[in-house]
């Protein structure tokens, strides 16, 4: 019987990662694929760190993982976004064995790295809540293999009713906008800024989102809902004005939300619902088999409660996913960072 608590890590290249996952019948998340390296490289303070295969005592590859080095404010960490990619179903012991080997591997190769960020199915003592940002353990996934009618029937009753109503609205123009200029994207960024202000979340500079379109090529898809009438929420509006948009990714048969927003007019006309349906049907026609809406609120992710109701219009229930955690490599440094951030938040809250 194979001892899955003894693993070794061997460096591999991007092609080997894809081949191993393909042989196991496992889809590769776009963030673990070679195409993502160009996006990371285009964003300041991110560098592709390397790829590894986790191999058990029988020389069987049980997982593959791609990591990116992030330079934070005074510290560095590596992140396996949507990784490891498990080729077999891991036990808690197997996950722990991989983390132990990874911690040692990173410490020997990059002694400046303070922690590793990755996903895990089983909770464990060596896992820490994220030092910064948020994670989630539930999402909404839409199976795109059935017929269009059956996909609609699988929606929540309220969502299906609202979608049918908005499909009768002839004031929408829905398109995928390829080759948009920076000036054209500025209109969409203004909508995103409005969305962030309304919903209370932070956003990056516009260049981060535009770089995704530039570097990911056909794997980054920009969908926009525009109004063709002249009536706007605050008075007359020019036909062709954007009211909602979504930047999706599409890789290895899987589509997913990444960024997007709606202005007040889009909110009042259910533009996001109409646009999401257009995205689902467009990607389905191109062979997409599953669409992931990338997280909803839960006890672990209360900050995402605002999008839970909207996303559950497309499904009767949520899908559990593995949340992300920090794994300290330099334990004392990580502990000091934790204390410093806690003190900073306490000071901010007292003002």
């Amino acid at each position: 019987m194979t001892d899955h608590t003894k693993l070794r890590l061997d460096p591999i290249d991007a092609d080997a990662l894809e081949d191993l996952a393909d042989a196991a019948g496992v889809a590769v998340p776009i963030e673990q694929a070679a195409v993502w390296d160009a996006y990371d490289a285009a964003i300041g303070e991110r560098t592709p760190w390397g790829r590894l295969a986790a191999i058990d005592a029988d020389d069987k590859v049980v997982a593959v993982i791609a990591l990116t080095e992030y330079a934070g404010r005074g510290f560095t960490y590596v992140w396996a976004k949507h990784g490891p990619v498990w080729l077999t179903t891991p036990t808690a012991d197997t996950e722990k064995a991989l983390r132990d080997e990874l911690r040692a591997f990173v410490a020997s190769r990059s002694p400046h790295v303070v922690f590793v960020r990755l996903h895990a199915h089983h909770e464990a003592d060596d896992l820490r809540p994220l030092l910064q940002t948020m994670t989630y353990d539930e999402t909404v996934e839409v199976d795109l293999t059935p017929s269009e009618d059956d996909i609609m029937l699988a929606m929540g009753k309220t969502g299906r009713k609202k979608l049918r109503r908005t499909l009768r609205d002839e004031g929408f123009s829905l398109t995928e906008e390829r080759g948009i200029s920076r000036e054209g994207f500025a209109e969409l960024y203004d909508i995103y800024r409005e969305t962030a202000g309304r919903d209370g979340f932070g956003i990056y500079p516009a260049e981060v989102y535009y770089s995704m379109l530039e570097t990911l090529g056909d794997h980054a898809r920009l969908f926009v809902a525009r109004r063709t009438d002249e009536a706007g929420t605050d008075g007359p509006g020019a036909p062709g004005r954007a009211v909602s948009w979504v930047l999706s990714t599409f890789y290895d048969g899987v589509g997913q939300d990444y960024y997007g927003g709606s202005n007040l007019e889009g909110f009042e006309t259910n533009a996001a619902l109409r646009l999401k349906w257009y995205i689902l049907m467009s990607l389905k026609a191109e062979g997409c088999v599953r669409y992931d809406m990338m997280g909803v609120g839960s006890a672990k992710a209360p900050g995402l409660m605002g999008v839970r109701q909207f996303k559950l219009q497309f499904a009767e229930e949520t899908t559990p996913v593995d949340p992300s955690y920090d794994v300290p490599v330099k334990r004392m440094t990580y502990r000091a960072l934790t204390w410093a951030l806690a003190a900073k938040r306490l000071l901010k809250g007292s003002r």
Side-chain angles (χ1 to χ4, degrees):
M1 184 175 180
T2 303
D3 183 357
H4 292 295
T5 63
K6 294 186 181 299
L7 299 177
R8 76 174 192 271
L9 296 177
D10 286 354
I12 57 174
D13 60 22
D15 289 340
L17 186 150
E18 296 268 0
D19 290 344
L20 288 164
D22 184 60
V26 176
V28 175
I30 189 170
E31 300 90 346
Q32 293 285 294
V35 296
W36 198 258
D37 289 354
Y39 175 55
D40 275 339
I43 303 300
E45 302 178 336
R46 299 186 196 175
T47 308
W49 188 86
R51 291 175 170 81
L52 303 167
I55 304 168
D56 67 17
D58 288 339
D59 284 334
K60 179 181 179 181
V61 178
V62 297
V64 290
I65 186 169
L67 300 113
T68 297
E69 183 173 313
Y70 281 66
R73 294 182 178 179
F75 62 93
T76 302
Y77 64 100
V78 291
W79 191 3
K81 197 169 187 180
H82 287 172
V85 180
W86 289 96
L87 310 186
T88 60
T89 302
T91 65
D93 287 342
T94 308
E95 283 193 325
K96 178 63 163 52
L98 187 149
R99 291 194 300 270
D100 288 345
E101 290 298 318
L102 183 59
R103 184 189 296 111
F105 192 100
V106 170
S108 64
R109 174 174 159 177
S110 301
H112 60 288
V113 167
V114 177
F115 62 92
V116 176
R117 181 167 292 166
L118 45 64
H119 295 258
H121 182 71
H122 303 89
E123 294 188 357
D125 291 341
D126 65 314
L127 298 172
R128 299 288 181 270
L130 299 189
L131 194 64
Q132 297 168 304
T133 195
M134 71 172 69
T135 186
Y136 58 86
D137 58 351
E138 296 180 34
T139 190
V140 168
E141 291 187 347
V142 181
D143 180 5
L144 295 181
T145 57
S147 67
E148 179 176 334
D149 288 343
D150 286 342
I151 293 172
M152 187 178 289
L153 285 173
M155 294 176 63
K157 183 178 180 181
T158 300
R160 186 165 62 247
K161 182 178 179 180
K162 288 172 64 176
L163 176 61
R164 285 172 172 158
R165 184 167 60 247
T166 192
L167 286 172
R168 295 192 292 270
D169 186 340
E170 297 180 355
F172 279 116
S173 171
L174 302 128
T175 57
E176 180 186 352
E177 302 197 1
R178 301 200 181 204
I180 191 170
S181 66
R182 280 180 168 79
E183 292 73 20
F185 188 75
E187 178 187 15
L188 306 185
Y189 188 71
D190 285 343
I191 292 175
Y192 198 41
R193 187 185 289 114
E194 178 180 331
T195 303
R198 183 178 64 241
D199 295 344
F201 62 86
I203 61 176
Y204 296 111
E207 189 62 26
V208 171
Y209 311 103
Y210 195 78
S211 291
M212 180 177 280
L213 290 170
E214 285 192 311
T215 57
L216 295 185
D218 289 342
H219 299 295
R221 316 294 286 272
L222 179 64
F223 297 92
V224 184
R226 298 181 181 275
R227 295 297 299 183
T228 59
D229 53 19
E230 294 185 354
T233 300
D234 300 319
R241 63 193 178 278
V243 294
S244 184
W245 64 275
V246 174
L247 200 170
S248 302
T249 60
F250 179 34
Y251 189 81
D252 206 6
V254 178
Q256 57 186 10
D257 280 352
Y258 240 90
Y259 302 110
S262 299
N263 60 18
L264 181 58
E265 184 179 6
F267 183 78
E268 293 179 343
T269 56
N270 286 317
L273 187 69
R274 176 74 176 270
L275 182 61
K276 195 77 72 181
W277 182 254
Y278 177 79
I279 295 169
L280 295 177
M281 294 303 102
S282 297
L283 294 183
K284 172 180 170 61
E286 295 184 36
C288 184
V289 298
R290 173 167 54 89
Y291 193 88
D292 182 354
M293 297 195 184
M294 289 280 278
V296 294
S298 67
K300 187 177 283 291
L304 293 176
M305 280 299 185
V307 299
R308 184 181 177 95
Q309 184 177 3
F310 170 77
K311 293 181 180 182
L312 274 173
Q313 293 179 105
F314 291 91
E316 294 284 359
E317 58 186 14
T318 63
T319 299
V321 291
D322 295 343
S324 52
Y325 297 91
D326 288 345
V327 180
V329 176
K330 301 175 71 171
R331 290 181 173 86
M332 293 304 296
T333 304
Y334 186 85
R335 185 176 301 172
L337 287 171
T338 302
W339 290 339
L341 283 170
K344 181 179 179 181
R345 289 166 186 151
L346 184 63
L347 180 61
K348 183 177 180 181
S350 66
R351 291 176 179 173

